[in-house]
Amino acid sequence: MAAVGCVLLPPVGWAVAVPLLLLGLLVLGASRLQVTAGPRGLTVSPAVAPWPRTRVPLAEMDLAVSRDIRPAADFGGWGYRIRPDATGVVVRSGEALVVRHTGGREFAVTVDDSATAAALLNSLLRTTVRH
């Protein structure tokens, strides 16, 4: 959309091109994620804004794994997806960090090196005393 805004600038003017350019930049910014795994659990938010944010506290986790995700087959598409047994932030195909809540529901986020994040979270889960 940003490219369309730039291309349309000369023939249609600023009134049409600028909103398309801004919308394209917003979509581009939202497609990059900030994913943090650590002692507080898992946090996922857009790279350009502090919200919307999804958090899964360590106390609510049962297990973390690395799994390949196929967006259309596994979640019905891309973006923030909700299924009866899982929720996901899916921005591409490939490896994802999947955490299972203590109630059995899963949360998935597509991210590089998901195996390292899963190992870290599982290590923290083993050393945390459950109350």
Side-chain angles (χ1 to χ4, degrees):
M1 284 188 207
V4 171
C6 291
V7 170
L8 289 177
L9 181 61
V12 297
W14 290 99
V16 174
V18 170
L20 286 173
L21 178 64
L22 293 175
L23 183 60
L25 292 174
L26 179 66
V27 168
L28 180 64
S31 68
R32 295 196 61 229
L33 299 175
Q34 173 83 30
V35 179
T36 306
R40 296 178 67 192
L42 176 65
T43 304
V44 180
S45 62
V48 296
W51 52 268
R53 177 179 296 157
T54 301
R55 289 186 181 143
V56 182
L58 197 62
E60 295 177 13
M61 284 184 205
D62 189 36
L63 177 71
V65 297
S66 176
R67 184 184 307 153
D68 275 351
I69 296 288
R70 298 166 301 160
D74 296 332
F75 282 92
W78 291 260
Y80 188 84
R81 309 302 288 186
I82 300 172
R83 296 184 342 205
D85 59 341
T87 303
V89 180
V90 182
V91 294
R92 62 179 171 82
S93 296
E95 67 179 297
L97 172 61
V98 181
V99 296
R100 186 175 64 207
H101 291 261
T102 52
R105 190 165 172 75
E106 292 185 340
F107 176 77
V109 59
T110 52
V111 63
D112 291 333
D113 200 15
S114 60
T116 300
L120 170 66
L121 290 172
N122 286 324
S123 176
L124 291 167
L125 285 168
R126 282 192 299 274
T127 60
T128 301
V129 177
R130 303 275 177 164
H131 290 57

